[in-house]
Amino acid sequence: DRGKAQFDENGKAIRMIGTHVDITKEKKLHDAEQQTDVNSASINGLTHLINITSKEVEETNKLNQQLKERMELALIGSKTSVLDWNFSDNSLYISPSWKEMLGFKDDELSNNTYTWESRVHPDDKKVVLRTLKKHQSQQIKYFENTHRLKHRDGHWVWVLGRAQILYDEKGKKVRMIGTHTDITEEKELQLTYSHQAQMIQQTHESVSTTDLKGNIISWNRGSELLYGYKADEVIGKHVSLLYTKEMYAEFVTRIPT
């Protein structure tokens, strides 16, 4: 649950805006791996919020600020920022939290497309624009991608971008409302795991893993050298394949229960 309460001048609570996000899958993952990515899950709550309020926006532009306010309040503390691109006049609303994510104050970056274009990684910019163009030509509603943005200090911030594209009755794009979520920590962790996996795969020490039923699920180069089996010969097979009956019986007694 995430939300923010609003109070009047007397300190009385008058409103609370927030989201409830189903994180059952993430909770199970946390129990298994001791980590949960709740930030990425929070986008589901935002998507629901957009589905409701986008209809209101179509009815009247007076509700624009209310829409942005709701999204900002609902996503406080989630490392997620709001962007709202109006294609009719090419104006772009960028939330203060987006600028803060890159080390800037709200008044230090303008609310226009150049702000994003000037900070996106050159390699990622081409991919983002090409994907966006494809979505718009096919009138696909939901858009998602990851790219890098340059921080004020010079390092790159990885963001997960998710948005809903709105079209008029003629199929012309009119607006795109969505979020950028800072996933730098997750990306760095992913790269670390990838590097470690490569090291394990190439080491001459035998490293293999099994599932709870004893079926082999990973097999590195060291295991190939030690046992003489290639990975495709043992993956999915029971670990007892590697032992005589006597050795396996002794092996089982050493497994903690």
Side-chain angles (χ1 to χ4, degrees):
D1 301 344
R2 287 197 177 103
K4 181 177 181 180
Q6 291 183 324
F7 303 89
D8 61 19
E9 62 277 4
N10 298 318
K12 181 181 178 181
I14 57 175
R15 187 182 188 188
M16 186 171 75
I17 303 175
T19 60
H20 282 186
V21 180
D22 181 357
I23 60 169
T24 305
K25 292 182 180 179
E26 289 78 4
K27 183 62 176 174
K28 291 180 179 178
L29 181 61
H30 178 275
D31 294 339
E33 301 180 1
Q34 298 300 307
Q35 57 180 332
T36 302
D37 184 9
V38 179
N39 292 326
S40 62
S42 67
I43 192 66
N44 296 325
L46 174 65
T47 299
H48 177 66
L49 187 62
I50 290 175
N51 287 337
I52 295 173
T53 55
S54 60
K55 295 179 181 179
E56 299 174 351
V57 173
E58 292 172 356
E59 295 174 359
T60 173
N61 287 331
K62 293 181 180 180
L63 292 172
N64 286 358
Q65 192 57 42
Q66 183 180 6
L67 167 60
K68 294 164 187 173
E69 177 185 330
R70 289 181 188 177
M71 290 192 292
E72 282 281 355
L73 292 173
L75 294 170
I76 283 178
S78 67
K79 297 195 297 183
T80 298
S81 307
V82 178
L83 298 98
D84 182 1
W85 189 357
N86 189 328
F87 294 116
S88 61
D89 58 8
N90 203 35
S91 62
L92 176 66
Y93 167 79
I94 305 174
S95 67
S97 58
W98 188 93
K99 301 171 186 178
E100 183 181 349
M101 176 178 66
L102 300 181
F104 294 92
K105 295 180 180 178
D106 187 24
D107 59 0
E108 291 181 307
L109 290 177
S110 301
N111 282 6
N112 54 47
T113 56
Y114 175 76
T115 293
W116 177 82
E117 291 175 354
S118 64
R119 309 214 70 79
V120 65
H121 193 287
D123 295 340
D124 298 341
K125 180 180 179 180
K126 297 177 183 179
V127 177
V128 174
L129 294 179
R130 183 169 61 247
T131 305
L132 181 59
K133 184 177 180 180
K134 178 181 178 181
H135 276 60
Q136 293 170 350
S137 65
Q138 298 179 10
Q139 295 185 27
I140 300 174
K141 279 188 175 184
Y142 298 103
F143 175 79
E144 177 177 323
N145 89 316
T146 59
H147 59 275
R148 289 160 288 182
L149 297 170
K150 195 170 187 178
H151 192 276
R152 184 174 201 157
D153 295 339
H155 65 271
W156 294 102
V157 176
W158 280 95
V159 296
L160 169 62
R162 283 174 171 167
Q164 180 177 340
I165 306 173
L166 307 179
Y167 302 89
D168 62 18
E169 62 279 1
K170 297 180 180 180
K172 181 181 178 181
K173 63 182 182 181
V174 295
R175 192 172 190 174
M176 185 168 73
I177 307 171
T179 63
H180 278 177
T181 302
D182 183 352
I183 59 169
T184 306
E185 291 183 9
E186 290 82 353
K187 267 291 183 180
E188 291 177 347
L189 190 60
Q190 180 183 354
L191 291 173
T192 298
Y193 286 159
S194 177
H195 179 63
Q196 291 175 343
Q198 290 177 4
M199 291 178 61
I200 291 173
Q201 184 61 31
Q202 297 303 320
T203 183
H204 288 280
E205 296 291 332
S206 174
V207 180
S208 60
T209 58
T210 67
D211 60 19
L212 295 177
K213 295 181 179 179
N215 298 314
I216 299 170
I217 58 177
S218 71
W219 190 258
N220 76 335
R221 174 62 177 164
S223 297
E224 291 182 355
L225 295 173
L226 179 63
Y227 294 102
Y229 291 104
K230 297 293 184 181
D232 58 1
E233 294 179 298
V234 296
I235 297 295
K237 302 288 183 61
H238 197 269
V239 70
S240 59
L241 170 73
L242 308 177
Y243 305 92
T244 64
K245 290 183 178 181
E246 294 76 13
M247 291 178 64
Y248 181 68
E250 181 180 353
F251 170 74
V252 170
T253 63
R254 297 176 181 273
I255 300 177
T257 58

